[in-house]
Amino acid sequence: MYCALFGHNYVMSKHVTHHIKEYTCTHCGEQATTNSRGRLEVMTPKLKEINDALASVHEKKIAKSKNKINLQAAS
Ligand SMILES: [Zn+2]
């Protein structure tokens, strides 16, 4: 009801990548995500799937770069 009148109050709930983040409305709990064009879009199971895939790729990248830094520090 509140959201219908005033719009959703989205707060970031998950950092997927540098460009893609998930948001949850503090009033009604509706989820949204930034899509590939950087626009906010209501969360769908398909988008959730894409984000989960992106997040795992992103985490692997971060883990790789961390290993690199550790190796450089060690040598
Ligand atoms: Zn809402």
Side-chain angles (χ1 to χ4, degrees):
M1 191 62 180
Y2 183 92
C3 292
L5 289 174
F6 300 105
H8 296 292
N9 182 39
Y10 289 123
V11 292
M12 198 178 86
S13 56
K14 189 179 172 189
H15 181 116
V16 180
T17 71
H18 293 305
H19 304 291
I20 297 174
K21 291 163 185 74
E22 291 179 10
Y23 299 86
T24 304
C25 176
T26 56
H27 297 301
C28 69
E30 184 174 279
Q31 285 191 298
T33 182
T34 30
N35 63 21
S36 52
R37 292 184 300 279
R39 303 274 298 270
L40 206 61
E41 210 174 290
V42 173
M43 183 65 86
T44 62
K46 187 72 198 167
L47 284 170
K48 185 90 191 155
E49 211 173 273
I50 292 167
N51 281 2
D52 285 347
L54 283 172
S56 70
V57 169
H58 190 64
E59 272 163 27
K60 275 177 202 158
K61 269 190 197 165
I62 287 171
K64 246 187 194 174
S65 65
K66 268 186 189 159
N67 284 341
K68 230 186 208 172
I69 290 160
N70 286 341
L71 282 172
Q72 281 169 348
S75 62

